[in-house]
Amino acid sequence: MDAEGRLRRVVFKLDNGLEVVLEENHAAPVVAFQAWVKIGSADEPPELAGIAHMFEHMLFKGTKKRGVGQIAREVESAGGEINAWTSHDETVYHLVLASRFFDTGLDILADTLMNSSFDAGELERERNVVLEEIKQGIDDPERQAGQGLFQTVFDVHPYGRPIIGSESTVRKLRRDDILAFFAHCYVGSNVTLVVVGDFDADAAKKKIALAFAAMPRGIAAGTRPAQPGQPSLRVAGRSRDVKEAQLLLGYRTPAINHSDIAALDLLAVLLGQGDSSRLNLEVVRNRQLATSASAYLFSARDPGALVIAANLPAARLDDATRAMLDEVARLAFEEIPAEELAKAKTILESDRVFDKETVQGYARKLGFFSAIAGDPNFEERYLAALQKTTAADLRRIAAEYLRPSHLSIYAQVPERMANKQPAKVDKVLARLRAVAESAGTRANARFARAAAATPDVDRVSRRVFPSGMKLLILRDASVPVVALRATWVGGLRYEDDRSNGISNLLAGLLTHGTKTRSAEQIMNEVEGMAGALTGYTGRNSLGLQAEFLSRYFERGFDLVADCLRNATFPEDELEKERRVVLDDIRAQEDNLGQVAFRLFHAAMWGKHPYRLDLMGTAQSVAGLSRRKLLNHFHQRYSTSNLTIAVVGDVDPARVRAKVAALFGDSPEQTLEKPLVPSEPVRAEPAQVFKFMSKEQSHLVLGYQGVGFASEDRFPLEVLAYVLSGQGGRLFTEIREKRALAYRVSAFSVEGLDPGYFAVYLASSPENLDEAIKVVRHELREVTQKGITAEELARAQRYLIGVHAIGLQRKSALAAALAFHEAYGQGWKAYRQYGDYIMKVTVADVARVARKYLDPSREVSAIVKPPAESPGAARAAARAGRAGISVRTAGGPAADPSHARAEPDWK
């Protein structure tokens, strides 16, 4: 940093054309490396579609001096993380690690970019992994709908192709193709290296020049097929085995460097970003035509699109399309209120501020600006254009780009409609075309009239109030942001079959009305401060989380306190929320991971509330009245058992005074503490099935685990990493060696009461039995033989490094402080995590493996397509009628949850 504490940026080019962007940031002892290879899926020949993405899988698989698996082990031994992603315009390789390992990170990245070996055996294994990834995408309704829109908008330009390719093109890729593509594309002229973090730029400059000196200059990426102009409306779609319909609208927009990009970003925010956005207020909340609606600008190297998306019941497609197009038209023809425009500008400005909280987030932003926009200082130009944009500018640009002739519509509908009749897609699309053409006719008439009429972290302060409320404050002035977490112990633990889902409703409604503010007033106030304020719930907690720019903290805290003390859970808001939740419950069947975990939870616990789903059931949610919500809330939650954590650029004395003024009159209360049923130790294994006609099978296999207070949780975390980290036993055997699954993970889930230790994987149905055998074999091996000292050391370094990386954001720190304090461990527990992990021994891991991974107590949940044999088909039919099939025998991603659910701090 310079004398005034500003970040220091150095930009230069090597003789071979490689561009380097360095940004010193000494807020944390961490450094992020990102190599932006300016070659993405849009640069591939059609016959090699998917090859850029294949490099993402192959580049870290070994070099001339590093064997298979060595790169991941080396990074994790430095407490770091390594990964990659592929998009339309770029393939990016990134790693983040402690800054004292700067030289290690640089050497690894340079080695992989210049000397990857592309082992033939590894290529075949990764090909199978990518094929699994393609199948997973086929099972994802929203991904398929998004791809359908892009194919409709970009019918000539390669942005319309799937980034990861197709099964046919991936199967045809040869090693010779990989080597030729690597030699031609991975050259200095196509690479931008971004380094952000705790290092000296002058020293780094010399090291980088030496590390990349051998990379050839090569030839920069060529031009792509241009997308012709769109003269008229396009409508496309298909039916799928889904519960909800997806409706997407796409308007053609210019490339990232165009002068109108900032204004188009503002239009996207006004339409569909935030609770008070126009689509959310009108289409979702007021008219309840959709369960969700959003908008974003796809801005890229070549012309892109403004995308509007909604999830909704298929019966509401016509009305929802009409309503969404009406909201788009309003932008061109009606005055945009000054406060709404100011709020949108603040949201976009604050996004840039929050990006600077982590070195990897900042590096990603700089990489995009440098490699895709072509200017590391793009942000300055963008923000200047943003601030200059007026309401009149927005109306003009909306009228220019959001015209009916520039629109493409894509609809994905259930194979069977609400009346159980097969969907007639042609008729659905014809109706949508008629709706859009009618809206276009009205819009064109208004355009004509308008044209005729218009000329143109250092220290935590802790205080306990007389009521019992706890306040924790951590001042961190590195970024002008403040995060707040208010939490109560409760959540799912305080529910039963009849009240199941009540915490989820309470969390949704805490910010939807108080004694003095309506839901919409709260939304407008929050977004006017470029903030975020939402309720959350989990297995063990209920509360509010908030983030604001620090200059708005006092106003923001007034709002938080009003919601915590004066929430009224209005009847009309309850009915709106209930309808959204019921729609979400119906749509759960589309997420096969959630289906598998719901089966697993129900089988793991017979009595304990952890067996229940956070959203509840359709029956339980339908029976929750406003009176029941008020009684449940006031009997269990008050300021007496509330913990508040505040982290960020604040004055602790002012925070204490503010909290005292807002909560100081709260009396101490004796609250009802529900009796939570205890769960007996399992006496036998259990297996549950659900048969669904999908491309993949999903497995959750697990055992009763431990609670937050157990010292065994730390050896179990080490064991989980040894099994499923990159280079872990399950990852190596199932994905790397045998390519049986794209996703495989092991994890320990704790709670205030004992949780579970489990393995999750998704695979092709034909690979499932073999994958299960491998899982059981590896678990048996670790219980009988334990782990090695090298595996322990690697796991310890990795877990400690990832823990530190995860706590860069103020919101993560606030969550850590609040949860640890509320759960009885004390706020200091988050600082002691590394000490506890380092105390784990090889013997500790062997002991917990033997203690918890008992095959006689195993619980497994399997979601898979119906088997083909006559007997299995009959069993599947019976299972379909019953919902699931449960068998007790000795025989054959992180835990997904509802979007509002807060994963409890570990």
Side-chain angles (χ1 to χ4, degrees):
M1 297 187 184
D2 62 17
E4 296 181 7
R6 293 176 300 200
L7 300 175
R8 180 189 177 201
R9 182 180 301 167
V10 177
V11 181
F12 61 97
K13 274 193 175 183
L14 301 183
D15 292 340
N16 59 8
L18 185 144
E19 182 183 26
V20 183
V21 181
L22 306 178
E23 183 109 9
E24 290 185 15
N25 183 341
H26 304 289
V30 178
V31 62
F33 293 88
Q34 292 190 3
W36 285 65
V37 181
K38 292 174 278 190
I39 299 290
S41 62
D43 301 293
E44 304 163 338
E47 66 275 12
L48 297 181
I51 193 170
H53 174 252
M54 186 62 77
F55 277 86
E56 170 193 324
H57 284 252
M58 290 297 299
L59 215 68
F60 294 139
K61 291 296 179 181
T63 67
K64 296 174 183 177
K65 70 176 182 178
R66 289 179 167 92
V68 175
Q70 185 177 343
I71 292 172
R73 289 193 297 271
E74 200 171 334
V75 172
E76 291 169 356
S77 294
E81 292 180 309
I82 190 166
N83 218 321
W85 79 80
T86 310
S87 190
H88 301 281
D89 292 330
E90 76 276 357
T91 307
V92 181
Y93 304 92
H94 61 99
L95 59 89
V96 57
L97 70 175
S99 53
R100 64 179 179 274
F101 297 114
F102 180 98
D103 293 350
T104 300
L106 177 62
D107 183 64
I108 288 172
L109 200 55
D111 191 25
T112 56
L113 286 170
M114 294 188 291
N115 303 310
S116 285
S117 54
F118 305 108
D119 177 81
E122 287 298 313
L123 175 59
E124 290 310 309
R125 281 186 281 273
E126 286 306 310
R127 185 198 311 277
N128 289 328
V129 169
V130 172
L131 291 173
E132 288 295 324
E133 190 176 355
I134 290 171
K135 289 180 179 179
Q136 181 176 317
I138 293 172
D139 280 343
D140 186 330
E142 293 189 3
R143 186 183 299 183
Q144 288 298 299
Q147 185 61 51
L149 176 71
F150 268 51
Q151 288 172 343
T152 306
V153 175
F154 304 107
D155 59 335
V156 174
H157 192 284
Y159 284 164
R161 294 202 301 253
I163 291 172
I164 64 176
S166 66
E167 181 178 353
S168 62
T169 58
V170 170
R171 286 193 184 279
K172 292 176 184 176
L173 291 176
R174 302 170 303 156
R175 184 169 183 267
D176 287 347
D177 297 325
I178 299 289
L179 293 174
F181 196 86
F182 183 70
H184 180 71
C185 298
Y186 279 61
V187 294
S189 298
N190 285 334
V191 177
T192 296
L193 177 67
V194 180
V195 189
V196 176
D198 181 29
F199 62 90
D200 177 73
D202 294 329
K205 186 175 180 179
K206 296 176 183 177
K207 293 177 180 178
I208 290 167
L210 183 62
F212 285 93
M215 177 174 275
R217 170 180 285 274
I219 301 173
T223 59
R224 301 150 170 177
Q227 178 67 37
Q230 181 174 325
S232 60
L233 171 71
R234 297 177 179 179
V235 181
R238 60 164 293 182
S239 63
R240 280 175 54 87
D241 180 16
V242 294
K243 303 297 181 185
E244 266 194 322
Q246 282 83 36
L247 174 64
L248 292 97
L249 313 180
Y251 292 89
R252 300 276 296 276
T253 57
I256 182 70
N257 270 316
H258 196 280
S259 59
D260 290 338
I261 285 295
L264 287 163
D265 259 336
L266 284 167
L267 291 173
V269 172
L270 292 171
L271 274 173
Q273 294 181 25
D275 289 341
S276 64
S277 66
R278 296 185 174 199
L279 290 174
N280 188 62
L281 286 178
E282 183 62 20
V283 180
V284 178
R285 286 178 50 79
N286 294 342
R287 300 180 63 179
Q288 299 198 342
L289 298 173
T291 57
S292 64
S294 60
Y296 71 92
L297 181 67
F298 168 61
S299 51
R301 184 180 301 160
D302 296 334
L306 192 150
V307 178
I308 302 168
N311 290 344
L312 68 163
R316 304 176 200 162
L317 267 171
D318 295 2
D319 289 340
T321 303
R322 191 174 292 108
M324 292 163 71
L325 292 174
D326 285 347
E327 291 305 314
V328 172
R330 287 180 57 211
L331 293 171
F333 300 117
E334 297 180 11
E335 187 70 30
I336 297 171
E339 61 272 18
E340 189 179 13
L341 175 56
K343 178 182 65 179
K345 289 181 177 181
T346 305
I347 289 171
L348 289 173
E349 178 189 357
S350 68
D351 286 344
R352 273 69 191 168
V353 175
F354 289 124
D355 282 342
K356 296 179 181 179
E357 281 198 283
T358 67
V359 292
Q360 61 268 39
Y362 203 3
R364 182 165 186 160
K365 180 174 68 171
L366 279 178
F368 181 81
F369 293 157
S370 302
I372 308 306
D375 179 7
N377 298 313
F378 174 84
E379 184 177 49
E380 286 76 7
R381 293 191 287 113
Y382 174 90
L383 291 175
L386 189 75
Q387 293 306 321
K388 291 178 182 177
T389 302
T390 65
D393 293 330
L394 287 186
R395 292 196 306 276
R396 173 182 55 80
I397 288 171
E400 180 178 350
Y401 293 102
L402 307 187
R403 284 182 172 270
S405 60
H406 296 169
L407 172 63
S408 295
I409 299 177
Y410 189 86
Q412 183 169 270
V413 299
E415 290 177 345
R416 292 190 176 274
M417 306 298 275
N419 59 7
K420 307 300 183 184
Q421 295 300 310
K424 297 179 179 178
V425 179
D426 290 345
K427 290 187 176 181
V428 171
L429 299 181
R431 290 201 312 271
L432 292 182
R433 178 176 288 279
V435 169
E437 288 176 344
S438 175
T441 299
R442 295 194 305 272
N444 286 333
R446 296 183 73 176
F447 281 130
R449 290 195 299 271
T454 306
D456 198 283
V457 183
D458 294 325
R459 191 162 158 251
V460 173
S461 165
R462 181 179 185 270
R463 179 176 177 182
V464 180
F465 287 79
S467 66
M469 185 183 77
K470 299 173 184 177
L471 173 65
L472 305 167
I473 309 167
L474 174 59
R475 183 176 187 179
D476 179 354
S478 60
V479 179
V481 171
V482 60
L484 180 147
R485 184 66 63 115
T487 193
W488 288 286
V489 170
L492 192 63
R493 284 182 79 246
Y494 286 0
E495 296 182 13
D496 55 26
D497 289 309
R498 295 181 64 185
S499 64
N500 188 203
I502 197 167
S503 302
N504 184 55
L505 282 176
L506 289 171
L509 293 169
L510 274 172
T511 59
H512 282 200
T514 68
K515 296 175 182 177
T516 57
R517 289 177 169 97
S518 69
E520 292 187 13
Q521 285 175 317
I522 293 171
M523 291 176 195
N524 283 315
E525 284 190 53
V526 171
E527 293 185 359
M529 295 182 281
L533 174 62
T534 57
Y536 65 87
T537 188
R539 293 180 302 277
N540 308 286
S541 61
L542 173 76
L544 284 178
Q545 54 191 355
E547 279 188 290
F548 302 100
L549 297 177
S550 53
R551 65 178 180 267
Y552 296 126
F553 172 72
E554 296 212 15
R555 284 173 53 195
F557 203 93
D558 285 337
L559 197 54
V560 170
D562 192 26
C563 292
L564 289 171
R565 298 197 66 180
N566 303 311
T568 55
F569 312 111
E571 192 77 52
D572 59 333
E573 293 295 329
L574 170 59
E575 292 311 313
K576 291 177 185 177
E577 190 69 17
R578 190 199 313 277
R579 186 167 179 176
V580 170
V581 172
L582 290 173
D583 283 338
D584 285 341
I585 290 172
R586 284 188 286 271
Q588 278 185 320
E589 293 293 291
D590 292 337
N591 187 318
L592 302 190
Q594 285 190 8
V595 173
F597 275 95
R598 288 202 307 277
L599 284 175
F600 178 77
H601 293 161
M604 174 60 70
W605 289 285
K607 298 180 180 179
H608 195 284
Y610 287 166
R611 76 187 189 281
L612 303 172
D613 187 83
L614 283 167
M615 282 197 289
T617 66
Q619 182 178 0
S620 65
V621 171
L624 294 173
S625 66
R626 179 172 180 265
R627 180 179 294 277
K628 288 180 180 178
L629 263 67
L630 287 167
N631 289 342
H632 185 93
F633 183 74
H634 291 303
Q635 288 169 5
R636 292 164 176 80
Y637 305 107
S638 81
T639 53
S640 295
N641 58 348
L642 179 64
T643 299
I644 298 177
V646 179
V647 177
D649 185 16
V650 293
D651 178 353
R654 291 182 65 183
V655 174
R656 285 191 293 270
K658 186 71 175 178
V659 174
L662 293 172
F663 293 95
D665 61 345
S666 301
E668 183 178 2
Q669 291 179 257
T670 302
L671 298 169
E672 175 185 326
K673 191 173 182 179
L675 180 63
V676 179
S678 59
E679 192 71 25
V681 175
R682 297 195 66 83
E684 57 187 359
Q687 195 170 51
V688 293
F689 294 89
K690 184 157 188 175
F691 298 101
M692 301 179 72
S693 297
K694 299 291 185 179
E695 292 286 330
Q696 284 195 309
S697 297
H698 294 251
L699 165 76
V700 184
L701 185 152
Y703 311 86
Q704 287 177 318
V706 301
F708 293 132
S710 172
E711 292 186 358
D712 285 350
R713 57 179 292 221
F714 301 104
L716 283 172
E717 286 200 41
V718 170
L719 175 59
Y721 174 75
V722 169
L723 287 170
S724 68
Q726 287 192 24
R729 297 186 181 190
L730 291 175
F731 187 89
T732 299
E733 288 296 323
I734 291 176
R735 174 169 164 168
E736 300 290 280
K737 291 184 178 180
R738 309 183 194 216
L740 295 174
Y742 176 64
R743 293 188 185 279
V744 59
S745 58
F747 42 86
S748 177
V749 175
E750 299 90 23
L752 285 169
D753 301 315
Y756 59 86
F757 185 95
V759 174
Y760 165 75
L761 64 83
S763 74
S764 290
E766 64 270 18
N767 294 334
L768 180 63
D769 288 344
E770 185 180 355
I772 293 174
K773 289 179 183 178
V774 175
V775 169
R776 288 188 172 132
H777 172 78
E778 293 301 324
L779 296 181
R780 186 165 57 251
E781 284 285 297
V782 82
T783 58
Q784 294 174 354
K785 301 177 182 178
I787 66 171
T788 67
E790 181 185 354
E791 286 177 315
L792 171 64
R794 189 167 71 247
Q796 289 171 323
R797 287 192 292 267
Y798 174 79
L799 291 170
I800 292 171
V802 168
H803 181 73
I805 291 168
L807 290 176
Q808 292 180 91
R809 291 194 179 278
K810 310 297 178 285
S811 56
L813 271 173
L817 293 171
F819 284 133
H820 283 307
E821 185 72 22
Y823 293 162
Q825 301 159 285
W827 66 264
K828 292 182 181 179
Y830 90 93
R831 289 182 175 173
Q832 297 163 346
Y833 177 83
D835 295 335
Y836 283 119
I837 290 293
M838 289 306 298
K839 288 178 183 177
V840 174
T841 65
V842 169
D844 289 331
V845 178
R847 175 182 56 79
V848 298
R850 291 191 298 270
K851 180 177 179 181
Y852 296 101
L853 308 190
D854 183 350
S856 67
R857 297 171 183 170
E858 176 190 288
V859 175
S860 62
I862 298 173
V863 177
K864 64 178 183 177
E868 295 301 324
S869 69
R874 288 193 295 273
R878 291 194 298 271
R881 290 192 294 270
I884 60 172
S885 170
V886 180
R887 177 167 64 89
T888 300
D895 182 352
S897 55
H898 184 235
R900 185 163 57 235
E902 174 65 27
D904 294 315
W905 191 260
K906 291 177 62 175

